Amino acid sequence: MTTTPRYHHALLLVPLYVSLAWLGMWLAAKPPSSLTVVWLPSGIGLIMLLLAGRRGLPLVLLSSAIANAGGWLYFGGSWGTALLAGLLLAPFDSLQSWLAWRGCGAPRRLLHDVGGLQRFFWRVCLLPPLLTTWAMYLINHALGAPATAQGHLAGLAMMTSGDCLGLFVVTPLYLVLREVPWPRLAGLTLKIAALVALPLLLAQGVHPWLIWLLGLTLIYVAIRYRIVGSSIAVALLTLASLLLLLSELGPQLAYEHSLSYVALSLMILSVGLAPHCIGLVIQQLDDVNHTLEQRVAERTRALREVQKQLETMAYSDSLTGLGNRHAFYIRLQEEQERATRRGRRFALALLDIDHFKRINDSYGHQTGDEVLRAVAVLMQDSVRVIDRVYRWGGEEFMIIFPDAGADDAMVPLQRICQLIGMQPVTTAKGELYTSVSIGVTEFAGRHDAIDALLGRVDALLYQAKRDGRNRIAR
């Protein structure tokens, strides 16, 4: 059977599961402890199932069997007792991981919002340990585990809170940090470690009441770094609290060590929920703001496109794609001001398609439109890049020649006149021949008004028509 990369990732967690279990048992043997305050393998088992699904159950079963058998041997049990402990306890560890996995639902939605956080706490962290640790506790005592905790209820509470805390600490780290690049993760962890360590050191060195500054620190971390930061902070707080309690440096929360460990677990769970909640709320606000910004950007782009279309409609002729009369007036005024300011000249030409009314009457307006488009393309192809062609109205066109006199404009205008007269226009009704009459003049200086310029070029056009059409008058 072919294995998937995610199954291989889960397989790599087997030695981590066993190592963390043995580490927890070793810490439990250290005075004044009798059980470890946090059971990290419970979280590792859940991650195995998140990676490999149901196929991860045998891996959890194997990891638990090895861990429990090795633990019994470490505490002085026989080989037979160790093997029996591994066989009896492993199914309940696997059941706990399976129940937590089923409680996750869609993992990507688990810590996506406050509702997902509630589901995570009740259905992933709390319910699976409550349903399984009582059986594991009974098995341990039936096999003869030394009862160093005062009272079965206290021991059961320690096991339940330890498994619950393991799920609470490890799972968010996996869910939120798998998307964080390792360089950023390392730097972020160092910053948060310094922030968490400060109130702990103040509580040890100055006054125990300063430990309450830790709450403000966690809130700041959640606000600054969102759910990613709160997950790291809770994990570091758990580690620091465990080390302080095992070293008998931390505040004793109860007279009995077993109850101290239970109280510490409950404290970490309670303190950890607040920054997670704050981080998720702010993250949701960030997501909403990001979504709104995207929508605003999309609407802005859409409005700009509409604005461009409106500008095109306002300044362009829809039939030929040339600038319309409004655009022509704007450009003509700009060219007049530029020429006046720099002492330059420019030429202006007015073209009219000869006998265009006959084309419309004989072939229809659609054919006339085809002729207009063909003439517009030919004019644009015959002038310079800086020259501008406009549709003046009907079958009339204007051309502005910047930095050119009437003599300079004659060269492209003659080419236009010849090409239109010699080349037929291909239409749906066949090939048609036509011609143009052109009037051309030039700007006479700062005292030459626009109306006078337009009047001259219009008169020259009619002179070309009177002289027989298909010609240029200047």
Side-chain angles (χ1 to χ4, degrees):
M1 181 175 60
T2 304
T3 57
T4 64
R6 291 174 63 85
Y7 181 83
H8 285 304
H9 294 162
L11 186 62
L12 293 174
L13 292 179
V14 171
L16 180 62
Y17 184 108
V18 174
S19 300
L20 289 176
W22 287 348
L23 175 63
M25 294 173 185
W26 177 77
L27 291 175
K30 293 290 183 181
S33 177
S34 59
L35 285 175
T36 182
V37 67
V38 55
W39 188 248
L40 296 177
S42 61
I44 302 300
L46 173 57
I47 294 176
M48 288 180 177
L49 297 184
L50 289 174
L51 287 170
R54 296 179 184 274
R55 297 173 60 194
L57 275 174
L59 299 180
V60 180
L61 191 68
L62 174 64
S63 302
S64 177
I66 297 173
N68 283 292
W72 274 86
L73 288 175
Y74 175 78
F75 281 107
S78 64
W79 280 98
T81 304
L83 180 60
L84 183 60
L87 293 176
L88 292 177
L89 293 173
F92 289 98
D93 273 333
S94 302
L95 176 61
Q96 182 183 111
S97 298
W98 183 82
L99 290 172
W101 175 59
R102 295 295 295 175
C104 286
R108 290 188 177 275
R109 302 290 302 177
L110 195 59
L111 292 178
H112 183 74
D113 50 29
V114 177
L117 178 62
Q118 293 177 355
R119 177 189 180 96
F120 165 70
F121 181 75
W122 294 110
R123 300 189 62 177
V124 177
C125 297
L126 189 59
L127 186 59
L130 286 175
L131 294 176
T132 55
T133 51
W134 63 271
M136 290 187 281
Y137 182 80
L138 291 177
I139 291 172
N140 275 325
H141 282 273
L143 292 175
T148 55
Q150 295 186 8
H152 295 289
L153 184 59
L156 178 59
M158 291 176 64
M159 288 187 65
T160 305
S161 62
D163 284 5
C164 180
L165 189 56
L167 290 164
F168 184 77
V169 171
V170 174
T171 310
L173 286 175
Y174 166 74
L175 291 176
V176 301
L177 299 183
R178 60 184 176 180
E179 306 295 336
V180 180
W182 283 104
R184 178 172 179 263
L185 176 59
L188 193 60
T189 302
L190 290 176
K191 292 179 183 178
I192 296 175
L195 291 172
V196 172
L198 181 60
L200 295 176
L201 293 175
L202 290 175
Q204 291 296 319
V206 180
H207 196 282
W209 283 102
L210 292 177
I211 191 66
W212 297 110
L213 292 175
L214 185 62
L216 297 177
T217 301
L218 293 178
I219 292 174
Y220 168 78
V221 169
I223 294 174
R224 179 69 176 84
Y225 302 111
R226 310 301 190 262
I227 185 65
V228 175
S230 65
S231 300
I232 297 174
V234 170
L236 293 173
L237 173 62
T238 303
L239 177 61
S241 301
L242 177 61
L243 294 176
L244 287 173
L245 193 57
L246 289 175
S247 304
E248 297 187 296
L249 294 176
Q252 297 299 312
L253 303 177
Y255 292 105
E256 299 177 0
H257 293 302
S258 58
L259 296 181
S260 295
Y261 277 38
V262 173
L264 180 60
S265 299
L266 295 177
M267 183 203 72
I268 294 174
L269 289 171
S270 302
V271 172
L273 279 173
H276 282 351
C277 211
I278 294 172
L280 285 173
V281 169
I282 297 177
Q283 185 64 54
Q284 281 184 276
L285 292 176
D286 289 343
D287 294 340
V288 170
N289 288 336
H290 180 67
T291 302
L292 290 176
E293 288 174 358
Q294 284 186 323
R295 290 180 179 177
V296 170
E298 292 173 359
R299 293 292 178 86
T300 302
R301 285 194 294 269
L303 289 174
R304 286 175 179 171
E305 291 297 325
V306 172
Q307 183 179 5
K308 289 180 181 178
Q309 293 176 4
L310 292 175
E311 289 177 354
T312 300
M313 293 173 61
Y315 295 97
S316 299
D317 175 59
S318 59
L319 177 63
T320 62
L322 300 175
N324 58 18
R325 183 182 286 235
H326 180 58
F328 166 76
Y329 273 115
I330 294 176
R331 180 58 184 270
L332 182 61
Q333 185 175 2
E334 292 175 351
E335 195 62 37
Q336 182 201 34
E337 293 174 355
R338 191 177 72 89
T340 300
R341 185 172 61 254
R342 298 182 179 181
R344 302 288 182 86
R345 57 180 179 169
F346 68 91
L348 181 65
L350 176 60
L351 297 84
D352 181 86
I353 300 176
D354 297 328
H355 304 297
F356 185 74
K357 186 176 183 301
R358 293 181 186 176
I359 298 176
N360 281 335
D361 293 342
S362 301
Y363 301 99
H365 287 82
Q366 185 174 357
T367 301
D369 290 346
E370 293 181 70
V371 172
L372 288 172
R373 284 193 291 265
V375 171
V377 171
L378 189 146
M379 285 190 294
Q380 282 187 305
D381 292 342
S382 301
V383 298
R384 301 172 301 173
V385 176
I386 63 173
D387 300 333
R388 291 292 179 267
V389 183
Y390 300 89
R391 187 180 179 191
W392 180 245
E395 67 275 19
E396 294 182 335
F397 299 87
M398 284 282 193
I399 305 179
I400 299 176
F401 298 92
D403 297 323
D407 292 337
D408 302 317
M410 286 295 294
V411 176
L413 291 175
Q414 288 174 347
R415 182 163 56 247
I416 292 172
C417 194
Q418 292 174 359
L419 289 175
I420 294 177
M422 295 173 56
Q423 294 182 2
V425 177
T426 302
T427 68
K429 298 294 181 65
E431 294 183 342
L432 299 178
Y433 284 89
T434 186
S435 61
V436 293
S437 298
I438 305 173
V440 59
T441 186
E442 66 179 58
F443 179 63
R446 67 173 59 249
H447 300 294
D448 194 3
I450 289 179
D451 290 341
L453 187 64
L454 293 175
R456 288 202 308 273
V457 76
D458 186 65
L460 289 168
L461 171 64
Y462 279 97
Q463 179 183 333
K465 287 181 175 290
R466 288 193 301 269
D467 292 344
R469 293 185 170 85
N470 192 21
R471 65 190 65 240
I472 303 171
R474 51 162 304 192

